[in-house]
Amino acid sequence: AEVAALASAHPTDERVALIAGFCALEAGDAGAARTAAAGTLARCPADPDALRLRGLAAFAEGDHAGAAADLGALGSGLSAADRLTLGIA
């Protein structure tokens, strides 16, 4: 709840929006995570954190092609934790 309030108070702060998105994803709300990522990507199309968030949200929703596209765009930027989550060696 605090993160959502913070995001509402700072609607143009990309970092706050992405933190709110990652929190939503952690809470099981992949749709809210995708929405947060989409807002950032509309303004900064190559933002690696937004691509990561959208890719992980896509994976959580079963959109493996979407996840592969976004996470693949990160190249070597995919973290070890993401690789574990996705089952990638």
Side-chain angles (χ1 to χ4, degrees), residues 48-85:
D49 293 324
L51 286 169
R52 178 175 176 255
L53 177 59
R54 189 172 69 181
L56 292 173
F59 185 82
E61 293 177 328
D63 177 6
H64 298 151
D70 286 335
L71 297 173
L74 296 174
S76 62
L78 194 59
S79 73
D82 291 341
R83 291 180 178 282
L84 183 63
T85 298

Side-chain angles (χ1 to χ4, degrees), residues 23-52:
C23 288
L25 184 61
E26 184 69 25
D29 190 350
R34 271 201 195 210
T35 298
T40 297
L41 289 167
R43 292 179 286 283
C44 307
D47 185 286
D49 293 324
L51 286 169
R52 178 175 176 255

